[in-house]
Amino acid sequence: MFAEERHQLIDGLISEHGKVTVSALADRFSITRETVRRDLAQLEADGILRRVHGGAVAATTASTSEQSHVTRTTLHADAKARIADAALALLPAGDVSAVLDAGTTTELLATRLTGEYAAARGSELLTITHALPVAHRLPAGAGLQLEFVGGRIRGLTSAAIGPRVVEHYASLRPDIAFIGTNGLHPTFGLSTPDDLEAAVKSAIVDSARRVVVLADASKFHAEALVRFAHLDAIDTVVTDAAPDADLAAALDAAEVEVVLA
């Protein structure tokens, strides 16, 4: 097999799986690991991928890369809708306080907190958020209350950030928090590209009695720049696909429940 053909196949594998390893490519193509490393170096020079320890990931997965809100709303839309439906079922009965973090999946969860849903619950639901898109989707009415945590708004996510937001969450003890993440990694934990957003997420995780992470399978094994929680700081992951063996073992060791949507 010529190098050019291998390069095309490697590009396709990364597009499909998000990551490739040197050992797996060597076995797949029956070539030496040194040849694989030369292939990856050439593809990195061409801007196709980015080399990491033991293999390579897509060039778009740099630890600081972050897509716009508009773009993110169109990605994995079906999976996010199923995750939002499953997350709704996790809200405890009775009067409840719930934090909704910034994120496109938490926004979808907010759209399910309708007046009809509140009437069916027959109890009070206080929703707390620092994300403008989430607040915009939460109706006001009988059985539904909204508390907005204000601060400086970060343009890319339309979420409030800064010390006032962190201090506000640190002063609360909500019953449940629904958290978004850019990465869910077996050893690195949960991460996001921006340090100020990470500080807010950490404050939410520390404050909530139960922490539920909403993450589609594209977040598995991803590592953004700033970790905001270790796996043992969360209680539940709601996702659309079963984690692979490594991630599943790490979640199990941290006693994290996995809910498949």
Side-chain angles (χ1 to χ4, degrees):
M1 181 182 295
F2 293 111
E4 184 177 350
E5 185 179 355
R6 278 201 313 273
H7 292 180
Q8 291 176 348
L9 290 172
I10 292 171
D11 185 18
L13 289 169
I14 286 185
S15 297
E16 181 179 356
H17 301 291
K19 182 178 182 179
V20 293
T21 65
V22 171
S23 59
L25 292 175
D27 291 342
R28 183 185 182 95
F29 299 127
S30 299
I31 57 178
T32 67
R33 296 189 180 193
E34 186 57 38
T35 300
V36 172
R37 292 188 182 96
R38 286 198 296 269
D39 285 344
L40 297 182
Q42 182 60 56
L43 288 167
E44 184 176 48
D46 293 339
I48 303 299
L49 52 77
R50 184 170 56 87
R51 286 184 292 172
V52 296
H53 179 70
V57 296
T60 55
T61 58
S63 64
T64 56
S65 65
E66 197 169 3
Q67 294 165 317
S68 70
H69 178 266
V70 173
T71 299
R72 287 184 290 113
T73 58
T74 64
L75 295 175
H76 314 292
D78 290 342
K80 291 176 179 179
R82 297 198 306 273
I83 290 169
D85 288 337
L88 184 67
L90 298 181
L91 274 170
D95 294 347
V96 172
S97 57
V99 173
L100 267 62
D101 185 22
T104 52
T105 310
T106 50
E107 287 177 45
L108 290 175
L109 175 57
T111 66
R112 285 143 173 82
L113 302 178
T114 62
E116 292 79 5
Y117 171 78
R121 279 179 59 88
S123 56
E124 290 291 322
L125 173 61
L126 169 62
T127 304
I128 307 162
T129 188
H130 61 287
L132 289 174
V134 171
H136 178 70
R137 285 160 175 74
L138 289 168
L144 292 172
Q145 300 180 59
L146 169 63
E147 178 177 333
F148 185 78
V149 181
R152 179 167 62 86
I153 301 298
R154 183 169 180 247
L156 194 60
T157 58
S158 296
I161 54 174
R164 283 184 297 173
V165 183
V166 172
E167 291 168 7
H168 191 111
Y169 277 124
S171 70
L172 302 178
R173 189 67 71 218
D175 296 303
I176 190 168
F178 296 96
I179 300 289
T181 185
N182 295 73
L184 180 63
H185 192 274
T187 57
F188 193 60
L190 289 84
S191 56
T192 195
D194 183 76
D195 59 341
L196 294 177
E197 292 230 28
V200 173
K201 290 176 181 290
S202 291
I204 296 172
V205 170
D206 290 343
S207 70
R209 290 187 170 94
R210 183 182 182 190
V211 178
V212 179
V213 176
L214 309 185
D216 64 78
S218 70
K219 310 297 175 58
F220 293 174
H221 289 273
E223 296 171 280
L225 181 63
V226 186
R227 177 174 54 215
F228 64 86
H230 292 281
L231 292 183
D232 60 7
I234 65 175
D235 300 291
T236 304
V237 171
V238 184
T239 186
D240 61 307
D244 64 15
D246 287 347
L247 182 55
L251 291 168
D252 183 63
E255 299 185 350
V256 177
E257 175 190 21
V258 177
V259 175
L260 294 181

